[in-house]
């Protein structure tokens, strides 16, 4: 059995014995070989929907690219993939050959989503748990990611099949960034995400408080329409770092709908500066 030069701890299945004829064993080998080229895997998650998790994942990934990092972004929201639209790539299809499926690229960022594989944007993805696990495994194992400093996974809300499969498949070198909004109804569910990470021994880089105050596009005045300070309270309660408080700006929504991520179009905005702060925290965490 050959060994993987990229995994010094010998934990990947390339270094382990098994039946080479077994399909699952072969899939695991392919997965581990791909992941050996990825230095850090970041699961972007939230226990609550509607907190701007995908927006955070896209802009955080691009902020890391702006820091000179090689970055991939995998959308594992099987039922509601939004990455293709947010990056202006709806209707695009990835190329493939015997080596695997090649990720699409935008602004220096490597991308893959089940949305790129659907016949149309209105097509429903109907899958039970085991099928979703297999789909995520295939997206990780069969995509030619190459060497990456960071691979970010945009998860659907909650602590169900998709984030569980992601954590189990990624293995060592993984951590999480947890996204919330300030109000109590979000924080209650987001605390479950932190509990999820602790149950699975997944390190948490920190919390991102999204929609932390509305900045008026006309006068620049800030209004706390979703309350404020909730993530700081949760961070103190759980011992998790608060990475940044990202304000709500209408241009972020417009950019997401138009396929023009905010950190590219408005790099000096308060939102972009906060997201670059998150990127620096993620980089610093990877060096520990």
């Amino acid at each position: 059995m050959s060994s993987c030069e990229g995994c010094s701890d010998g934990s990947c299945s390339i270094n382990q014995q098994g039946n080479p004829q077994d399909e699952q064993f072969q899939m695991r080998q392919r997965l581990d070989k791909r992941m050996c080229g990825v230095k850090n895997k970041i699961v972007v998650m939230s226990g609550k929907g509607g907190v701007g998790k995908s927006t955070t994942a896209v802009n955080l990934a691009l902020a890391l690219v702006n820091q000179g990092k090689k970055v991939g972004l995998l959308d594992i929201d099987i039922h509601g993939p939004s990455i293709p639209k947010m990056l202006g790539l709806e209707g695009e299809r990835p190329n493939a050959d015997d080596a695997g499926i090649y990720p699409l690229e935008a602004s220096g960022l490597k991308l893959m989503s089940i949305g790129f594989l659907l016949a149309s944007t209105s097509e429903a993805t109907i899958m039970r748990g085991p099928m979703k696990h297999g789909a995520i495994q295939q997206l990780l194992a069969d995509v030619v990611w190459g060497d990456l400093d960071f691979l970010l996974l945009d998860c659907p809300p909650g602590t169900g099949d998709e984030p569980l499969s992601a954590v189990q498949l990624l293995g060592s070198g993984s951590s999480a960034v947890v996204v919330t909004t300030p109000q109590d109804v979000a924080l209650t569910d987001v605390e479950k995400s932190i509990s999820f990470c602790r149950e699975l021994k997944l390190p948490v880089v920190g919390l991102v408080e999204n929609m932390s105050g509305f900045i008026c596009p006309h006068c620049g005045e800030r209004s706390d329409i979703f309350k404020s300070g909730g993530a700081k309270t949760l961070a103190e309660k759980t011992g998790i770092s608060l990475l940044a408080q990202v304000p709500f700006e209408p241009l972020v929504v417009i950019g997401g709908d138009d396929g023009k991520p905010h950190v590219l179009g408005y790099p000096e905005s308060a939102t972009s500066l906060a997201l670059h702060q998150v990127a620096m925290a993620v980089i610093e965490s990877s060096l520990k």
Side-chain angles (χ1 to χ4, degrees):
M1 182 69 63
S2 62
S3 63
C4 172
E5 296 178 357
C7 298
S8 58
D9 62 0
S11 61
C12 74
S13 64
I14 296 175
N15 298 319
Q16 298 171 7
Q17 298 299 316
N19 180 2
Q21 304 304 317
D22 182 76
E23 183 177 348
Q24 184 58 34
F25 177 76
Q26 293 175 13
M27 173 65 83
R28 186 71 219 191
Q29 278 196 308
R30 294 202 306 275
L31 170 62
D32 287 334
K33 187 174 182 180
R34 296 286 190 212
M35 292 300 101
C36 281
V38 180
K39 294 178 183 177
N40 303 280
K41 304 105 165 180
I42 308 292
V43 180
V44 182
M45 63 183 302
S46 178
K48 188 70 175 175
V51 299
K53 177 185 46 53
S54 294
T55 300
T56 300
V58 167
N59 285 282
L60 172 58
L62 288 167
L64 288 166
V65 171
N66 286 344
Q67 293 297 324
K69 303 302 180 182
K70 297 177 182 178
V71 186
L73 175 60
L74 174 59
D75 180 0
I76 63 167
D77 192 338
I78 301 297
H79 302 291
S82 55
I83 296 303
K85 182 172 182 62
M86 296 180 75
L87 284 151
L89 295 172
E90 280 187 302
E92 298 290 332
R93 295 288 182 268
N95 294 319
D97 59 22
D98 291 342
I101 304 169
Y102 291 88
L104 278 71
E105 295 195 28
S107 302
L109 178 63
K110 292 185 177 181
L111 301 159
M112 183 50 60
S113 168
I114 199 168
F116 295 135
L117 307 176
L118 300 177
S120 73
T121 56
S122 61
E123 181 178 345
T125 308
I126 303 172
M127 290 186 184
R128 293 186 184 275
M131 290 182 66
K132 288 193 278 189
H133 180 90
I136 294 169
Q137 185 176 43
Q138 190 167 4
L139 288 171
L140 287 167
D142 289 351
V143 172
V144 185
W145 292 107
D147 293 331
L148 296 175
D149 295 308
F150 294 94
L151 175 62
L152 275 65
L153 276 69
D154 179 28
C155 296
T159 54
D161 291 317
E162 292 90 337
L164 178 59
S165 292
V167 175
Q168 291 174 335
L169 291 167
L170 288 174
S172 60
S174 305
S175 56
V177 169
V178 181
V179 183
T180 186
T181 49
Q183 67 267 44
D184 292 344
V185 68
L187 293 164
T188 299
D189 288 336
V190 170
E191 187 172 1
K192 296 172 184 174
S193 295
I194 296 172
S195 176
F196 167 91
C197 293
R198 286 176 169 164
E199 285 286 329
L200 296 179
K201 296 180 172 55
L202 178 68
V204 178
V205 178
L207 280 167
V208 175
E209 183 177 84
N210 202 24
M211 305 182 197
S212 182
F214 171 75
I215 297 180
C216 176
H218 304 293
C219 67
E221 184 177 344
R222 174 190 168 112
S223 301
D224 292 326
I225 58 176
F226 294 118
K227 302 175 64 174
S228 66
K232 181 179 179 181
T233 301
L234 180 60
E236 293 171 349
K237 177 182 177 181
T238 59
I240 301 295
S241 298
L242 176 59
L243 304 181
Q245 293 175 294
V246 183
F248 179 79
E249 296 186 74
L251 288 172
V252 176
V253 180
I254 295 170
D257 285 345
D258 291 345
K260 300 175 182 178
H262 190 77
V263 296
L264 297 182
Y266 302 91
E268 299 302 320
S269 73
T271 294
S272 293
L273 294 176
L275 287 162
H276 278 288
Q277 183 178 329
V278 178
M280 294 304 297
V282 168
I283 292 171
E284 184 178 345
S285 176
S286 72
L287 299 176
K288 294 179 180 178

mmCIF file of all heavy atoms in Angstrom, residues 125-152:
data_model
loop_
_atom_site.group_PDB
_atom_site.id
_atom_site.type_symbol
_atom_site.label_atom_id
_atom_site.label_comp_id
_atom_site.label_asym_id
_atom_site.label_seq_id
_atom_site.Cartn_x
_atom_site.Cartn_y
_atom_site.Cartn_z
ATOM 1 N N THR A 125 -33.578 19.178 -5.816
ATOM 2 C CA THR A 125 -32.701 18.067 -5.472
ATOM 3 C C THR A 125 -33.380 17.266 -4.363
ATOM 4 O O THR A 125 -33.520 17.752 -3.239
ATOM 5 C CB THR A 125 -31.336 18.572 -4.986
ATOM 6 O OG1 THR A 125 -30.813 19.488 -5.946
ATOM 7 C CG2 THR A 125 -30.370 17.418 -4.796
ATOM 8 N N ILE A 126 -33.807 16.054 -4.676
ATOM 9 C CA ILE A 126 -34.566 15.237 -3.731
ATOM 10 C C ILE A 126 -33.674 14.087 -3.274
ATOM 11 O O ILE A 126 -33.410 13.142 -4.025
ATOM 12 C CB ILE A 126 -35.861 14.712 -4.375
ATOM 13 C CG1 ILE A 126 -36.704 15.895 -4.894
ATOM 14 C CG2 ILE A 126 -36.659 13.880 -3.380
ATOM 15 C CD1 ILE A 126 -37.897 15.481 -5.721
ATOM 16 N N MET A 127 -33.189 14.183 -2.034
ATOM 17 C CA MET A 127 -32.260 13.190 -1.499
ATOM 18 C C MET A 127 -32.531 12.943 -0.028
ATOM 19 O O MET A 127 -32.853 13.874 0.715
ATOM 20 C CB MET A 127 -30.805 13.657 -1.632
ATOM 21 C CG MET A 127 -30.245 13.711 -3.020
ATOM 22 S SD MET A 127 -28.476 14.123 -2.958
ATOM 23 C CE MET A 127 -28.093 14.234 -4.701
ATOM 24 N N ARG A 128 -32.365 11.700 0.378
ATOM 25 C CA ARG A 128 -32.345 11.356 1.809
ATOM 26 C C ARG A 128 -30.901 11.413 2.310
ATOM 27 O O ARG A 128 -29.963 11.579 1.528
ATOM 28 C CB ARG A 128 -32.940 9.973 2.034
ATOM 29 C CG ARG A 128 -34.434 9.880 1.739
ATOM 30 C CD ARG A 128 -34.964 8.505 2.136
ATOM 31 N NE ARG A 128 -36.366 8.329 1.789
ATOM 32 C CZ ARG A 128 -37.381 8.712 2.544
ATOM 33 N NH1 ARG A 128 -37.138 9.318 3.700
ATOM 34 N NH2 ARG A 128 -38.618 8.508 2.163
ATOM 35 N N GLY A 129 -30.764 11.216 3.625
ATOM 36 C CA GLY A 129 -29.462 11.349 4.273
ATOM 37 C C GLY A 129 -28.312 10.602 3.632
ATOM 38 O O GLY A 129 -27.281 11.200 3.301
ATOM 39 N N PRO A 130 -28.424 9.272 3.409
ATOM 40 C CA PRO A 130 -27.301 8.525 2.832
ATOM 41 C C PRO A 130 -26.905 9.029 1.449
ATOM 42 O O PRO A 130 -25.725 9.060 1.111
ATOM 43 C CB PRO A 130 -27.835 7.089 2.768
ATOM 44 C CG PRO A 130 -28.880 7.028 3.831
ATOM 45 C CD PRO A 130 -29.521 8.384 3.837
ATOM 46 N N MET A 131 -27.877 9.447 0.654
ATOM 47 C CA MET A 131 -27.570 9.971 -0.679
ATOM 48 C C MET A 131 -26.844 11.306 -0.580
ATOM 49 O O MET A 131 -25.939 11.598 -1.365
ATOM 50 C CB MET A 131 -28.850 10.124 -1.496
ATOM 51 C CG MET A 131 -29.489 8.814 -1.918
ATOM 52 S SD MET A 131 -30.967 9.075 -2.926
ATOM 53 C CE MET A 131 -30.259 9.828 -4.407
ATOM 54 N N LYS A 132 -27.233 12.134 0.391
ATOM 55 C CA LYS A 132 -26.557 13.413 0.574
ATOM 56 C C LYS A 132 -25.110 13.204 1.012
ATOM 57 O O LYS A 132 -24.202 13.889 0.539
ATOM 58 C CB LYS A 132 -27.314 14.270 1.593
ATOM 59 C CG LYS A 132 -28.621 14.814 1.063
ATOM 60 C CD LYS A 132 -29.208 15.892 1.937
ATOM 61 C CE LYS A 132 -29.966 15.333 3.106
ATOM 62 N NZ LYS A 132 -30.721 16.377 3.832
ATOM 63 N N HIS A 133 -24.908 12.232 1.895
ATOM 64 C CA HIS A 133 -23.542 11.907 2.325
ATOM 65 C C HIS A 133 -22.700 11.501 1.124
ATOM 66 O O HIS A 133 -21.560 11.959 0.952
ATOM 67 C CB HIS A 133 -23.571 10.774 3.360
ATOM 68 C CG HIS A 133 -22.214 10.376 3.852
ATOM 69 N ND1 HIS A 133 -21.627 10.957 4.950
ATOM 70 C CD2 HIS A 133 -21.323 9.458 3.382
ATOM 71 C CE1 HIS A 133 -20.437 10.422 5.148
ATOM 72 N NE2 HIS A 133 -20.229 9.508 4.209
ATOM 73 N N GLY A 134 -23.269 10.660 0.260
ATOM 74 C CA GLY A 134 -22.545 10.208 -0.918
ATOM 75 C C GLY A 134 -22.244 11.341 -1.878
ATOM 76 O O GLY A 134 -21.165 11.393 -2.483
ATOM 77 N N ALA A 135 -23.189 12.281 -2.018
ATOM 78 C CA ALA A 135 -22.986 13.416 -2.923
ATOM 79 C C ALA A 135 -21.855 14.315 -2.416
ATOM 80 O O ALA A 135 -21.007 14.766 -3.200
ATOM 81 C CB ALA A 135 -24.277 14.210 -3.058
ATOM 82 N N ILE A 136 -21.840 14.582 -1.112
ATOM 83 C CA ILE A 136 -20.786 15.420 -0.535
ATOM 84 C C ILE A 136 -19.437 14.730 -0.652
ATOM 85 O O ILE A 136 -18.421 15.353 -0.998
ATOM 86 C CB ILE A 136 -21.115 15.761 0.929
ATOM 87 C CG1 ILE A 136 -22.365 16.639 0.991
ATOM 88 C CG2 ILE A 136 -19.937 16.465 1.608
ATOM 89 C CD1 ILE A 136 -22.930 16.812 2.384
ATOM 90 N N GLN A 137 -19.421 13.436 -0.395
ATOM 91 C CA GLN A 137 -18.185 12.672 -0.533
ATOM 92 C C GLN A 137 -17.649 12.737 -1.960
ATOM 93 O O GLN A 137 -16.446 12.923 -2.187
ATOM 94 C CB GLN A 137 -18.424 11.215 -0.122
ATOM 95 C CG GLN A 137 -17.155 10.365 -0.105
ATOM 96 C CD GLN A 137 -17.428 8.966 0.389
ATOM 97 O OE1 GLN A 137 -18.414 8.331 0.018
ATOM 98 N NE2 GLN A 137 -16.545 8.459 1.232
ATOM 99 N N GLN A 138 -18.540 12.630 -2.931
ATOM 100 C CA GLN A 138 -18.117 12.674 -4.326
ATOM 101 C C GLN A 138 -17.604 14.060 -4.710
ATOM 102 O O GLN A 138 -16.618 14.186 -5.445
ATOM 103 C CB GLN A 138 -19.274 12.270 -5.235
ATOM 104 C CG GLN A 138 -18.851 12.051 -6.682
ATOM 105 C CD GLN A 138 -19.919 11.346 -7.491
ATOM 106 O OE1 GLN A 138 -21.009 11.075 -7.009
ATOM 107 N NE2 GLN A 138 -19.593 11.048 -8.742
ATOM 108 N N LEU A 139 -18.257 15.113 -4.217
ATOM 109 C CA LEU A 139 -17.801 16.470 -4.511
ATOM 110 C C LEU A 139 -16.408 16.733 -3.938
ATOM 111 O O LEU A 139 -15.607 17.461 -4.525
ATOM 112 C CB LEU A 139 -18.794 17.496 -3.971
ATOM 113 C CG LEU A 139 -20.127 17.609 -4.716
ATOM 114 C CD1 LEU A 139 -21.096 18.492 -3.942
ATOM 115 C CD2 LEU A 139 -19.927 18.141 -6.127
ATOM 116 N N LEU A 140 -16.123 16.140 -2.798
ATOM 117 C CA LEU A 140 -14.800 16.289 -2.201
ATOM 118 C C LEU A 140 -13.757 15.414 -2.891
ATOM 119 O O LEU A 140 -12.630 15.840 -3.138
ATOM 120 C CB LEU A 140 -14.856 15.942 -0.709
ATOM 121 C CG LEU A 140 -15.527 16.950 0.221
ATOM 122 C CD1 LEU A 140 -15.789 16.335 1.583
ATOM 123 C CD2 LEU A 140 -14.676 18.213 0.355
ATOM 124 N N ALA A 141 -14.139 14.180 -3.222
ATOM 125 C CA ALA A 141 -13.178 13.199 -3.722
ATOM 126 C C ALA A 141 -12.919 13.302 -5.221
ATOM 127 O O ALA A 141 -11.812 13.026 -5.683
ATOM 128 C CB ALA A 141 -13.660 11.783 -3.390
ATOM 129 N N ASP A 142 -13.922 13.682 -5.993
ATOM 130 C CA ASP A 142 -13.787 13.655 -7.452
ATOM 131 C C ASP A 142 -13.455 15.010 -8.062
ATOM 132 O O ASP A 142 -13.162 15.099 -9.254
ATOM 133 C CB ASP A 142 -15.080 13.119 -8.088
ATOM 134 C CG ASP A 142 -15.258 11.625 -7.837
ATOM 135 O OD1 ASP A 142 -14.305 10.998 -7.340
ATOM 136 O OD2 ASP A 142 -16.339 11.100 -8.115
ATOM 137 N N VAL A 143 -13.501 16.067 -7.272
ATOM 138 C CA VAL A 143 -13.150 17.392 -7.784
ATOM 139 C C VAL A 143 -11.636 17.586 -7.674
ATOM 140 O O VAL A 143 -11.025 17.300 -6.647
ATOM 141 C CB VAL A 143 -13.892 18.497 -7.017
ATOM 142 C CG1 VAL A 143 -13.385 19.875 -7.428
ATOM 143 C CG2 VAL A 143 -15.388 18.395 -7.270
ATOM 144 N N VAL A 144 -11.023 18.060 -8.751
ATOM 145 C CA VAL A 144 -9.576 18.264 -8.799
ATOM 146 C C VAL A 144 -9.265 19.612 -8.141
ATOM 147 O O VAL A 144 -9.126 20.646 -8.818
ATOM 148 C CB VAL A 144 -9.069 18.236 -10.255
ATOM 149 C CG1 VAL A 144 -7.539 18.333 -10.283
ATOM 150 C CG2 VAL A 144 -9.529 16.967 -10.961
ATOM 151 N N TRP A 145 -9.173 19.582 -6.827
ATOM 152 C CA TRP A 145 -8.952 20.828 -6.082
ATOM 153 C C TRP A 145 -7.521 21.331 -6.206
ATOM 154 O O TRP A 145 -7.275 22.540 -6.134
ATOM 155 C CB TRP A 145 -9.285 20.624 -4.599
ATOM 156 C CG TRP A 145 -10.729 20.394 -4.334
ATOM 157 C CD1 TRP A 145 -11.331 19.215 -3.980
ATOM 158 C CD2 TRP A 145 -11.787 21.364 -4.408
ATOM 159 N NE1 TRP A 145 -12.683 19.399 -3.828
ATOM 160 C CE2 TRP A 145 -12.989 20.703 -4.076
ATOM 161 C CE3 TRP A 145 -11.831 22.718 -4.718
ATOM 162 C CZ2 TRP A 145 -14.221 21.355 -4.057
ATOM 163 C CZ3 TRP A 145 -13.048 23.368 -4.701
ATOM 164 C CH2 TRP A 145 -14.228 22.691 -4.376
ATOM 165 N N GLY A 146 -6.562 20.420 -6.368
ATOM 166 C CA GLY A 146 -5.161 20.832 -6.397
ATOM 167 C C GLY A 146 -4.689 21.233 -5.012
ATOM 168 O O GLY A 146 -5.306 20.899 -3.993
ATOM 169 N N ASP A 147 -3.603 21.953 -4.961
ATOM 170 C CA ASP A 147 -3.053 22.412 -3.678
ATOM 171 C C ASP A 147 -3.765 23.693 -3.252
ATOM 172 O O ASP A 147 -3.806 24.669 -4.005
ATOM 173 C CB ASP A 147 -1.556 22.665 -3.798
ATOM 174 C CG ASP A 147 -0.765 21.387 -4.031
ATOM 175 O OD1 ASP A 147 -1.225 20.322 -3.580
ATOM 176 O OD2 ASP A 147 0.297 21.456 -4.680
ATOM 177 N N LEU A 148 -4.309 23.675 -2.042
ATOM 178 C CA LEU A 148 -5.034 24.819 -1.504
ATOM 179 C C LEU A 148 -4.524 25.155 -0.113
ATOM 180 O O LEU A 148 -4.183 24.269 0.669
ATOM 181 C CB LEU A 148 -6.536 24.534 -1.421
ATOM 182 C CG LEU A 148 -7.310 24.289 -2.717
ATOM 183 C CD1 LEU A 148 -8.755 23.913 -2.382
ATOM 184 C CD2 LEU A 148 -7.263 25.510 -3.620
ATOM 185 N N ASP A 149 -4.507 26.436 0.198
ATOM 186 C CA ASP A 149 -4.264 26.849 1.585
ATOM 187 C C ASP A 149 -5.526 26.679 2.412
ATOM 188 O O ASP A 149 -5.458 26.289 3.591
ATOM 189 C CB ASP A 149 -3.823 28.318 1.621
ATOM 190 C CG ASP A 149 -2.488 28.532 0.930
ATOM 191 O OD1 ASP A 149 -1.527 27.820 1.273
ATOM 192 O OD2 ASP A 149 -2.407 29.404 0.042
ATOM 193 N N PHE A 150 -6.685 26.969 1.785
ATOM 194 C CA PHE A 150 -7.968 26.865 2.484
ATOM 195 C C PHE A 150 -9.030 26.310 1.548
ATOM 196 O O PHE A 150 -9.132 26.732 0.402
ATOM 197 C CB PHE A 150 -8.439 28.237 2.992
ATOM 198 C CG PHE A 150 -7.562 28.839 4.059
ATOM 199 C CD1 PHE A 150 -6.545 29.720 3.722
ATOM 200 C CD2 PHE A 150 -7.747 28.510 5.394
ATOM 201 C CE1 PHE A 150 -5.732 30.282 4.684
ATOM 202 C CE2 PHE A 150 -6.932 29.058 6.371
ATOM 203 C CZ PHE A 150 -5.923 29.942 6.024
ATOM 204 N N LEU A 151 -9.812 25.380 2.071
ATOM 205 C CA LEU A 151 -11.040 24.937 1.407
ATOM 206 C C LEU A 151 -12.181 25.258 2.350
ATOM 207 O O LEU A 151 -12.256 24.729 3.465
ATOM 208 C CB LEU A 151 -11.004 23.432 1.124
ATOM 209 C CG LEU A 151 -12.291 22.838 0.532
ATOM 210 C CD1 LEU A 151 -12.604 23.452 -0.831
ATOM 211 C CD2 LEU A 151 -12.191 21.313 0.418
ATOM 212 N N LEU A 152 -13.078 26.148 1.924
ATOM 213 C CA LEU A 152 -14.239 26.529 2.728
ATOM 214 C C LEU A 152 -15.449 25.743 2.253
ATOM 215 O O LEU A 152 -15.667 25.577 1.052
ATOM 216 C CB LEU A 152 -14.526 28.025 2.601
ATOM 217 C CG LEU A 152 -13.751 28.980 3.516
ATOM 218 C CD1 LEU A 152 -12.258 28.948 3.202
ATOM 219 C CD2 LEU A 152 -14.274 30.405 3.388
#
